[in-house]
């Protein structure tokens, strides 16, 4: 057994018990994948992060669901940044690079008084196949009329089926049919199909934002994700590419109906027809620190 420091961070929030929680485990190079998965299941969190060495970046991290590794995850990235800051490893830095499963991401540190925001630049979007509105709507007990644009598979590191709903009423009525989701994954196919979930978004904020989203999850994951930074990047690229938002920078909100409000400052880089990346920025609050035997 080896002992590792961990930092538990609420990501995409400036308050304890908001946003999306993630446990970040340090010095995890020698921790087997099976143990990383077991730790994630033990925490009952949607994802956990493990800090590792990198030959190509300043720091490395790997992210895990309860069942598999995920190449890019937004809230574990913010949590990892906040954990590195809490450990004193970012003192005097205003930017650094972080190698994750999907590649190397530049991170900008935005310090404003007591508040620190970490801005990750996700990868240029890959626009995959479109899915019929009726197919996605049926998974959530909605109608095709509740969907205002063709759902499409989009990835800025991890693939999601971005689905724009007409209003908050439709968003609130959404209930996940797990069997229907599995059928959609089989229909889409490809390497990312096992990770792909519909990300439901409205172009109406929950409080002060411009968009409000939900991500409903299938077992053994928690039933809903409080804030999904990787899906937010894919969603932003989709909205800008299709002309569904009037400007490339906006505030994305998620988690408010779960009692865990979260937000991100988002900026799509490049014109709608040639997007080069998406900046997703958020803060993290350290809730717990300690050691774990693995």
């Amino acid at each position: 057994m080896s002992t590792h420091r961990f930092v538990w961070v609420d990501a995409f929030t400036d308050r304890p018990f908001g946003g999306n929680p993630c446990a970040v485990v340090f010095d995890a190079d020698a921790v087997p994948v099976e143990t990383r998965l077991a730790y994630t299941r033990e925490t009952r969190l949607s994802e956990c992060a493990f800090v590792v060495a990198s030959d190509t970046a300043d720091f490395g991290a790997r992210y895990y669901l309860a069942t598999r590794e995920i190449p890019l995850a937004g809230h574990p990235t913010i949590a990892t940044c906040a954990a590195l800051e809490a450990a004193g490893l970012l003192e005097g830095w205003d930017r650094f690079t972080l190698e994750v499963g999907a590649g190397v991401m530049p991170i900008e540190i935005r310090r404003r008084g007591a508040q620190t925001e970490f801005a990750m630049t996700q990868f240029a979007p890959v626009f995959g196949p479109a899915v019929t509105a009726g197919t996605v709507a049926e998974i959530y007990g909605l109608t095709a009329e509740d969907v205002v644009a063709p759902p499409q598979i989009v990835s800025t590191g991890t693939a999601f089926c971005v689905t724009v709903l007409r209003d908050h009423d439709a968003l609130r009525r959404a209930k996940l049919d797990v069997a229907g989701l599995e059928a959609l994954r089989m229909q889409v196919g490809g390497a990312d199909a096992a990770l792909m979930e519909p990300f439901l978004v409205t172009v109406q904020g929950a409080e002060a934002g411009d968009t409000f989203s939900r991500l409903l999850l299938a077992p053994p994951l928690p039933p809903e994700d409080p804030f999904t930074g990787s899906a937010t990047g894919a969603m932003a690229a989709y909205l800008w590419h299709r002309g569904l938002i009037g400007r490339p920078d906006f505030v994305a909100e998620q988690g408010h109906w779960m009692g865990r409000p979260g937000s991100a400052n988002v900026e799509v880089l490049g014109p709608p027809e040639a997007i080069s990346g998406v900046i997703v920025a958020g803060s993290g609050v350290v809730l717990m620190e300690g050691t774990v035997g693995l």
Side-chain angles (χ1 to χ4, degrees), residues 229-249:
S230 51
T232 296
M235 172 266 289
Y238 173 95
L239 294 179
W240 182 236
H241 179 67
R242 288 184 173 267
L244 297 173
I245 51 173
R247 52 187 294 172
D249 55 321

Side-chain angles (χ1 to χ4, degrees), residues 252-265:
E253 295 179 314
Q254 189 180 343
H256 293 62
W257 294 344
M258 302 174 64
R260 302 194 65 98
S263 67
N265 292 310

Side-chain angles (χ1 to χ4, degrees), residues 1 16 43 47 53 65 68 73 92 100 106 119 144 149 151 153 171 188 212 240 246 255 257 265 271 288:
M1 179 178 290
T43 65
E47 294 154 36
L65 304 167
R68 62 176 72 87
V100 298
I153 310 300
L171 189 63
V188 172
F212 184 46
W240 182 236
W257 294 344
N265 292 310
M288 292 185 269

Side-chain angles (χ1 to χ4, degrees), residues 64-238:
Y64 293 86
L65 304 167
T67 54
R68 62 176 72 87
E69 183 176 359
I70 187 169
L72 172 67
H75 88 272
T77 296
I78 298 300
T80 298
C81 294
L84 292 170
E85 176 95 333
L89 298 176
L90 300 179
E91 187 173 349
W93 297 35
D94 59 8
R95 61 187 66 245
F96 65 96
T97 54
L98 181 67
E99 181 194 358
V100 298
V104 176
M105 284 194 300
I107 309 288
E108 179 188 359
I109 307 172
R110 301 170 178 174
R111 294 188 175 92
R112 303 183 180 95
Q115 188 70 39
T116 301
E117 184 180 69
F118 301 97
M120 74 185 91
T121 300
Q122 297 180 9
F123 305 99
V126 176
F127 293 99
V131 181
T132 64
T135 298
V136 177
E138 187 175 355
I139 295 172
Y140 296 96
L142 303 174
T143 68
E145 289 70 29
D146 289 319
V147 181
V148 300
Q152 186 173 11
I153 310 300
V154 184
S155 173
T156 54
T158 297
F160 293 88
C161 182
V162 181
T163 304
V164 183
L165 301 183
R166 62 182 178 182
D167 54 26
H168 284 185
D169 175 67
L171 189 63
R172 192 181 289 276
R173 285 188 283 111
K175 306 291 183 184
L176 177 62
D177 175 356
V178 175
L181 175 60
E182 291 303 318
L184 176 60
R185 287 171 169 165
M186 293 291 291
Q187 174 186 326
V188 172
D192 288 327
L195 292 170
M196 185 279 300
E197 293 123 352
F199 188 60
L200 309 177
V201 58
T202 60
V203 288
Q204 308 160 13
E207 291 180 351
D210 302 289
T211 65
F212 184 46
S213 304
R214 296 180 72 193
L215 180 67
L216 305 181
L217 302 170
L221 299 174
E224 184 168 352
D225 206 31
F227 198 97
T228 319
S230 51
T232 296
M235 172 266 289
Y238 173 95

